């Protein structure tokens, strides 16, 4: 009987990545494991087939050989798994991945545990995002205990090897078909125990303290930008390496400008007369300066004028985005009698002439719409 294709055994495509292989194998291994199917020899064989297929496909070199030569790649040796047992990275790895964190910390002993990463939320203005800044922040965190130099043991005392695990930090227990290795409950994976704990930190090797740091914010940062300060997070347990500090930036809404990437937008109200006759208006720029914009005659609300290179700084670049000035034609209010008379004269003079093409076009379409309804 010919051997089934390893990809078919796992139920994955030949382009499956490592995560897809692992997921498929874990599902089959749990489904057909002999402990769950004691009276089903077919399930046991499927379990072995899945184990053999995964052992080959998870290894880059073995997978490359299999993709090129198929099962012949292992026909003249002992196969992908001498002895037919569990490989070094087979079901045992999957089981450890699924239950290792539940049983305890993974890895060997030694006492040191890395500190946790910390997050700090910072809000800055749009102008600060444009120019960049150096900010000073105060972060509540855990730092290494100075009294015991992070060891957790009182002065003039030392750590002793854990009697339960012999210093390994892990203990083994037989459970049915498996030998399960888990974190030592006596030393919590440290491998060593403290007979006389430090009174300053109660044996943890770290104490709570506020830390003052300087953060350099580069020009051009955007909302949601993350800045990493290596080794500025929580101190490790009993001398372990510290975590990192992540600064998450939020850009405050601006009173005048609206930002989209490296470009900024500004709505500028202009008088009706300027919109009709044309003219110049002065607008603010994000760098604090001013720019003169020429408004063409007949400008309508919503028209955008582009100012090249007047936008935001581009992160890690000397370039700048553009600024778009969006016109908003303002209807005059509080008119004097003379102004009202002039507008009436303008209305009279406009009869028979196309001075409002947009409104005329709209009402022309409305008229056609109504006529279609009555047909």
């Amino acid at each position: 009987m010919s051997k089934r294709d390893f990809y078919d055994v796992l139920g994955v495509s030949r382009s499956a990545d490592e995560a897809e292989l692992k997921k498929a194998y874990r599902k089959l291994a749990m489904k057909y494991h002999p402990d769950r199917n004691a009276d089903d020899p077919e399930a046991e064989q499927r379990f072995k087939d899945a184990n053999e297929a995964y052992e080959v496909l998870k290894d880059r070199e073995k997978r490359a050989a299999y993709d090129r030569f198929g099962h012949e790649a292992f026909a003249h040796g002992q196969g992908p798994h001498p002895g037919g047992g569990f490989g070094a990275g087979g079901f045992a790895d999957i089981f450890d991945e699924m239950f290792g964190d539940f049983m305890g910390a993974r890895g060997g002993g030694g006492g040191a545990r890395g500190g946790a990463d910390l997050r700090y939320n910072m809000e800055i203005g749009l102008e600060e995002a444009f120019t960049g800044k150096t900010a000073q922040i105060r972060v509540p965190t855990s730092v290494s205990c100075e009294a015991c130099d992070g060891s957790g043991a009182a002065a003039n005392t030392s750590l002793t090897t854990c009697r339960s695990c012999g210093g390994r930090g892990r203990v083994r227990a037989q459970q049915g078909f498996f030998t399960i290795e888990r974190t030592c409950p006596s030393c919590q994976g440290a491998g060593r125990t403290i007979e006389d704990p430090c009174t300053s930190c109660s044996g943890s090797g770290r104490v709570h303290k506020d830390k003052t740091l300087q953060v350099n914010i580069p020009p051009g940062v955007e909302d949601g930008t993350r800045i990493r300060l290596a080794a500025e997070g929580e101190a490790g347990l009993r001398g372990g390496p510290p975590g990192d500090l992540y600064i998450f930036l939020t850009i405050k809404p601006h009173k005048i400008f609206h930002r989209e990437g490296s470009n900024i937008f500004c709505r500028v109200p202009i008088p009706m007369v300027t919109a009709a006759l044309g003219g110049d208006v002065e607008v603010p720029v994000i760098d604090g300066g001013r720019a003169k914009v020429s408004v063409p005659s007949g400008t309508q609300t919503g028209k955008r004028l582009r100012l090249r290179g007047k936008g935001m700084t581009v992160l890690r670049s000397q370039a700048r985005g553009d600024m778009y000035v969006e016109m908003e034609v303002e209807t005059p209010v509080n008119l004097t009698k003379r102004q009202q008379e002039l507008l009436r004269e303008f209305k009279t003079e406009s009869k028979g002439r196309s001075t409002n093409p947009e409104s005329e076009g709209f009402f022309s379409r409305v008229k056609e719409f109504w006529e279609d309804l009555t047909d």
Side-chain angles (χ1 to χ4, degrees), residues 207-259:
V207 293
H208 293 287
K209 185 179 180 181
D210 286 352
K211 185 162 54 174
T212 302
L213 299 169
Q214 277 196 337
V215 182
N216 293 320
I217 301 173
V221 293
E222 297 190 33
D223 194 80
T225 296
R226 185 182 70 172
I227 299 175
R228 173 176 173 259
L229 300 183
E232 294 293 355
E234 187 179 57
L237 187 65
R238 296 178 184 173
D244 299 329
L245 174 63
Y246 291 92
I247 311 294
F248 284 81
L249 298 178
T250 301
I251 312 298
K252 291 185 288 189
H254 199 273
K255 295 179 180 179
I256 299 175
F257 302 113
H258 168 68
R259 178 184 185 179

Side-chain angles (χ1 to χ4, degrees), residues 78-99:
Q78 290 183 315
H81 249 323
F86 292 118
F91 188 76
D93 277 354
I94 298 294
F95 189 86
D96 185 48
E97 178 184 310
M98 294 172 66
F99 301 108

Side-chain angles (χ1 to χ4, degrees), residues 227-367:
I227 299 175
R228 173 176 173 259
L229 300 183
E232 294 293 355
E234 187 179 57
L237 187 65
R238 296 178 184 173
D244 299 329
L245 174 63
Y246 291 92
I247 311 294
F248 284 81
L249 298 178
T250 301
I251 312 298
K252 291 185 288 189
H254 199 273
K255 295 179 180 179
I256 299 175
F257 302 113
H258 168 68
R259 178 184 185 179
E260 291 183 11
S262 61
N263 297 325
I264 57 175
F265 297 80
C266 177
R267 290 178 64 88
V268 178
I270 58 173
M272 181 186 68
V273 175
T274 303
L277 303 178
D280 294 332
V281 294
E282 201 171 56
V283 297
V285 184
I286 187 64
D287 59 12
R290 302 178 182 183
K292 185 177 289 186
V293 177
S294 295
V295 181
S297 61
T299 292
Q300 304 295 321
T301 292
K303 182 177 179 60
R304 286 182 176 178
L305 302 177
R306 180 181 181 184
L307 300 179
R308 294 181 181 273
K310 295 295 185 180
M312 291 294 295
T313 308
V314 178
L315 186 64
R316 301 184 183 90
S317 171
Q318 297 297 319
R320 284 180 61 177
D322 299 329
M323 176 176 171
Y324 291 88
V325 180
E326 185 173 316
M327 299 300 171
E328 186 173 2
V329 181
E330 185 177 17
T331 302
V333 296
N334 301 323
L335 299 177
T336 65
K337 288 185 177 181
R338 177 56 182 155
Q339 288 173 326
Q340 293 176 17
E341 290 174 0
L342 290 172
L343 286 177
R344 290 190 185 98
E345 290 179 16
F346 173 78
K347 182 179 179 181
T348 302
E349 289 290 328
S350 299
K351 286 184 178 179
R353 302 186 62 187
S354 180
T355 56
N356 299 286
E358 288 193 20
S359 61
E360 290 169 4
F362 171 76
F363 287 111
S364 176
R365 292 191 297 272
V366 170
K367 182 179 179 182

Side-chain angles (χ1 to χ4, degrees), residues 3-246:
K3 249 186 176 183
R4 287 180 64 196
D5 181 84
F6 284 157
Y7 292 99
D8 289 341
V9 170
L10 295 181
V12 297
S13 66
R14 301 188 77 84
S15 61
D17 58 20
E18 185 178 343
E20 290 176 292
L21 291 172
K22 184 179 290 186
K23 182 179 179 181
Y25 172 65
R26 179 167 59 182
K27 183 178 179 180
L28 293 173
M30 297 300 289
K31 180 178 180 180
Y32 295 114
H33 192 275
D35 283 357
R36 291 188 169 189
N37 305 273
D39 301 323
D40 188 354
E42 184 179 347
E44 182 178 359
Q45 184 59 47
R46 289 193 178 187
F47 176 77
K48 290 180 180 179
D49 291 344
N51 189 61
E52 180 184 20
Y54 181 64
E55 282 302 312
V56 171
L57 299 182
K58 72 171 185 153
D59 185 283
R60 288 187 179 181
E61 294 182 2
K62 291 179 182 179
R63 182 175 180 177
Y66 179 76
D67 287 345
R68 186 173 182 183
F69 302 108
H71 295 297
E72 290 296 320
F74 312 104
H76 303 292
Q78 290 183 315
H81 249 323
F86 292 118
F91 188 76
D93 277 354
I94 298 294
F95 189 86
D96 185 48
E97 178 184 310
M98 294 172 66
F99 301 108
D101 291 340
F102 175 76
M103 296 295 186
R106 304 179 75 183
R113 292 189 192 176
D117 294 335
L118 299 179
R119 171 175 178 152
Y120 186 92
N121 296 325
M122 179 186 295
E123 189 178 57
I124 63 174
L126 188 63
E127 293 90 348
E128 294 172 321
F130 171 77
T131 60
K133 64 176 292 188
T134 299
Q136 193 172 74
I137 61 174
R138 194 173 181 84
V139 183
T141 183
S142 294
V143 298
S144 181
C145 177
E146 296 180 359
C148 63
D149 199 24
S151 69
N156 301 320
T157 64
S158 59
L159 304 178
T160 59
T161 301
C162 176
R163 297 176 183 177
S164 300
C165 63
R168 293 181 63 250
R170 312 277 287 178
V171 292
R172 293 182 177 180
Q174 191 74 28
Q175 185 171 334
F177 188 77
F178 298 101
T179 298
I180 299 175
E181 189 176 85
R182 60 187 179 89
T183 302
C184 176
S186 300
C187 64
Q188 300 301 314
R192 295 178 296 174
T193 57
I194 299 174
E195 299 294 337
D196 189 8
C198 171
T199 55
S200 298
C201 63
S202 302
S204 68
R206 58 189 183 188
V207 293
H208 293 287
K209 185 179 180 181
D210 286 352
K211 185 162 54 174
T212 302
L213 299 169
Q214 277 196 337
V215 182
N216 293 320
I217 301 173
V221 293
E222 297 190 33
D223 194 80
T225 296
R226 185 182 70 172
I227 299 175
R228 173 176 173 259
L229 300 183
E232 294 293 355
E234 187 179 57
L237 187 65
R238 296 178 184 173
D244 299 329
L245 174 63
Y246 291 92

